[in-house]
Amino acid sequence: MVNYEAQLDATFTALSHQARRCILARLGQGEATVGELAKPLEMSLPAVTKHLKVLEKARLISRSKDAQWRPCRLEEAPLNAASGWIEAQRLLWESRLDRLETYLNRLEEEGSHDK
Amino acid sequence: MVNYEAQLDATFTALSHQARRCILARLGQGEATVGELAKPLEMSLPAVTKHLKVLEKARLISRSKDAQWRPCRLEEAPLNAASGWIEAQRLLWESRLDRLETYLNRLEEEGSHDK
């Protein structure tokens, strides 16, 4: 459970910067090198490398150890866990609203019987 | 567009701490005061207030100005935008995998015709 929460901390931290979200969106189209990732961001290679380290630490990307250019690739699992957490909140919230609606309808019905 | 990205930055930052996720999960069940939110977290009121300020700044919660105890309530829209961003990435990623599969199937089919 601690690991699950620590992973969510790391995933949401990684997602909290526009440049890192751009990198993830680009990697969703396929592997890319640091140079390819830097181009549309108009950033220096060291700046991109810094963001890649955050993404790698959060396990949102992995980097090939063999290839000379060490291309980056997206890892889907932590993103799915993060979206799963938000989705679970939504389901709880909606079921609460449904219960509230049922309760209000019942009150209204009882009120009309009393008249 | 800048506002959209800045809102995503703030939402994901707010979600990146377990205590703030606990607060949001609790508020999904209904409004609560700072005292009620502090109890299960075993945190001091000032510590909880600090987290509430992050959540309020990110517009994930709002606080009643009139009531004496200023209860907090969940605001759904930024959470939906954050989950929408992740979902959009997943759709792009999956459509890429589908295209790749179609391409590989075609290659295989052409290969079997050549034999």
Side-chain angles (χ1 to χ4, degrees):
Chain A
M1 205 58 183
V2 172
N3 282 346
Y4 168 73
E5 294 293 344
Q7 179 60 58
L8 282 181
D9 284 7
T11 304
F12 286 127
T13 299
L15 290 173
S16 71
H17 195 293
Q18 185 178 0
R20 292 195 290 267
R21 290 194 300 275
C22 282
I23 291 172
L24 291 176
R26 166 63 188 81
L27 292 179
Q29 294 168 41
E31 293 189 357
T33 63
V34 181
E36 286 165 341
L37 293 170
K39 220 170 186 178
L41 291 172
E42 298 181 4
M43 264 186 188
S44 67
L45 291 188
V48 174
T49 302
K50 211 172 136 189
H51 287 304
L52 290 178
K53 276 188 185 155
V54 177
L55 290 168
E56 207 176 355
K57 205 176 154 199
R59 300 182 193 182
L60 283 168
I61 65 165
S62 60
R63 297 187 66 183
S64 163
K65 284 199 169 52
D66 306 320
Q68 193 184 355
W69 298 106
R70 301 197 62 209
C72 305
R73 61 175 290 153
L74 185 67
E75 297 295 336
E76 260 201 303
L79 272 184
N80 289 342
S83 128
W85 184 87
I86 301 179
E87 201 47 44
Q89 302 316 309
R90 198 212 308 262
L91 288 177
L92 287 172
W93 163 269
E94 278 171 3
S95 78
R96 189 181 77 88
L97 289 187
D98 285 347
R99 284 200 306 277
L100 197 63
E101 201 184 346
T102 309
Y103 175 70
L104 290 177
N105 285 341
R106 200 186 309 151
L107 274 190
E108 200 173 8
E109 220 168 85
E110 285 174 5
S112 68
H113 285 314
D114 291 345
K115 274 176 198 164
Chain B
M1 204 60 182
V2 171
N3 281 346
Y4 169 74
E5 294 294 344
Q7 178 61 56
L8 282 181
D9 285 5
T11 304
F12 285 128
T13 300
L15 290 174
S16 71
H17 195 293
Q18 184 177 358
R20 291 194 290 266
R21 291 195 299 274
C22 282
I23 290 171
L24 292 175
R26 167 62 188 83
L27 293 178
Q29 294 169 41
E31 293 189 358
T33 62
V34 181
E36 286 166 341
L37 293 169
K39 221 170 185 179
L41 292 171
E42 298 181 3
M43 264 185 187
S44 67
L45 291 187
V48 174
T49 302
K50 212 172 136 190
H51 286 305
L52 290 178
K53 277 188 184 153
V54 177
L55 290 168
E56 206 175 357
K57 206 176 154 197
R59 299 182 197 183
L60 283 168
I61 65 165
S62 59
R63 298 187 67 183
S64 162
K65 284 199 170 50
D66 306 318
Q68 194 185 355
W69 298 104
R70 300 196 63 208
C72 306
R73 59 176 293 154
L74 184 68
E75 297 294 335
E76 261 201 304
L79 273 184
N80 288 343
S83 132
W85 184 87
I86 302 178
E87 202 47 43
Q89 302 316 308
R90 198 213 309 263
L91 289 176
L92 288 172
W93 163 268
E94 278 171 4
S95 77
R96 189 181 77 89
L97 289 187
D98 284 348
R99 284 199 307 277
L100 198 62
E101 199 184 347
T102 309
Y103 174 71
L104 289 177
N105 284 342
R106 201 186 307 149
L107 274 189
E108 200 174 9
E109 221 169 84
E110 284 173 8
S112 69
H113 285 316
D114 291 346
K115 276 178 196 162

